[in-house]
Amino acid sequence: MNRMSRESEGPPPLPAQVGPYLRELVRRTRGVCGADLVSVLAVGSLALGDYRPGRSDVDVTVVVEPSVSGPVLRELAGALAHPRLPCPAPGLELVVYDRGFAGRASGLAGYLLDLNTGPLLPSRASFDPARSPAFWYVIDRSVAHRAGVVLFGRPAREVIAPPAASDLLAAVRASVREHTEGEGHLADNRVLNGCRSVVFCRTGRWTAKRVAAREIAACEPGFRPLVEAALAGFERPRAEAVGLPAAEVRAFLTWVRERVDEAAGAVEH
């Protein structure tokens, strides 16, 4: 991408594999939320132009008016759940925020609904943000503000506020810790997320995982074999993922954490 940000290029085209699904998702969301629906945004890999069929989830952020009730949110979760709405990706990760919360900077999770559903994603519909680690949502809102692709309603930058720098770096720190110590993460995804975290700390911009990995491979020759192996693994469907040497992955993520700590320390001082 020649160090050009996604927002200067304009939004990427949505992959043909998910276009009909997203249109139906928007139709159902409009049908349930009615006039209280403010925006539906494609985020994550779809927004950053790095969607991989068979590997990437479909990530969507929905913004609604604060008047939306709990029963409406539960109806929405049911209307979008796989297989009632068959998901063509490994999973759908959809988060609903009220307009008041989404429009101000926050280091909290703050969602009204967090829906995970799909053929390879454990089903989950949470209505209590206190039960979820905040860092996932802080990072997602940062990406959404910068690169969210409008599927319906108002532009991302009008409805999603960017988190404060200190909150965002704290979230990146927590993300790296989760990918170092947490369970259930694919090894190649741990490495690529680490690359993206370092590139963000160095440049202040969110990039596609593969773009970030190529940057790290080019400037950190000691980690190049591991990063290139992670890139090769990322080309495989999620169900066919292969492992990477655990000690090398942990050493790389320790280095990533040190870079993130340096960036956070610079902001604090």
Side-chain angles (χ1 to χ4, degrees):
M1 196 154 53
N2 297 324
R3 305 188 68 83
M4 186 180 294
S5 66
R6 272 250 65 96
E7 57 262 37
S8 64
E9 289 185 329
L14 293 174
Q17 300 93 332
V18 297
Y21 173 74
L22 289 171
R23 288 191 289 273
E24 179 61 15
L25 182 149
V26 169
R27 189 189 71 80
R28 294 190 183 200
T29 303
R30 293 181 69 182
V32 172
C33 297
D36 286 329
L37 182 61
V38 177
S39 295
V40 182
L41 308 166
V43 296
S45 60
L46 289 172
L48 295 173
D50 200 32
Y51 179 83
R52 304 295 302 157
R55 168 58 72 117
S56 303
D57 290 321
V58 171
D59 297 291
V60 175
T61 294
V62 176
V63 180
V64 297
E65 297 291 353
S67 55
V68 167
S69 67
V72 168
L73 293 167
R74 286 174 171 78
E75 181 183 354
L76 180 63
L80 302 182
H82 177 88
R84 184 173 179 182
L85 174 59
C87 182
L92 166 70
E93 295 186 346
L94 179 137
V95 182
V96 180
Y97 299 102
D98 80 62
R99 187 175 192 167
F101 176 84
R104 62 179 183 270
S106 176
L108 302 177
Y111 59 79
L112 298 176
L113 166 64
D114 179 22
L115 175 66
N116 288 355
T117 187
L120 297 181
L121 196 63
S123 295
R124 173 179 182 265
S126 171
F127 304 91
D128 181 3
R131 299 175 66 89
S132 301
F135 68 87
W136 299 116
Y137 309 92
V138 175
I139 293 172
D140 284 351
R141 290 197 302 272
S142 177
V143 174
H145 172 79
R146 290 175 176 265
V149 177
V150 177
L151 303 176
F152 170 82
R154 304 193 67 80
R157 292 199 173 203
E158 292 184 12
V159 295
I160 305 286
S166 57
D167 287 335
L168 184 52
L169 284 168
V172 175
R173 269 175 158 171
S175 171
V176 174
R177 185 166 57 250
E178 169 64 22
H179 281 93
T180 303
E181 302 168 359
E183 299 295 329
H185 302 291
L186 297 177
D188 52 24
N189 202 44
R190 293 179 187 226
V191 172
L192 299 187
N193 268 312
C195 293
R196 189 168 67 173
S197 295
V198 172
V199 170
F200 172 77
C201 289
R202 289 176 173 176
T203 67
R205 61 186 175 86
W206 291 111
T207 62
K209 293 175 185 176
R210 291 182 297 168
V211 172
R214 293 183 191 113
E215 290 194 23
I216 297 301
C219 64
E220 302 292 338
F223 292 120
R224 187 175 300 150
L226 177 68
V227 173
E228 290 179 345
L231 280 167
F234 193 63
E235 298 299 320
R236 302 171 66 94
R238 190 178 301 185
E240 300 175 12
V242 296
L244 296 172
E248 293 182 28
V249 172
R250 181 167 290 274
F252 174 73
L253 291 175
T254 298
W255 174 82
V256 169
R257 186 183 297 190
E258 291 168 353
R259 305 289 77 74
V260 176
D261 287 346
E262 288 173 1
V267 168
E268 292 168 358
H269 295 92

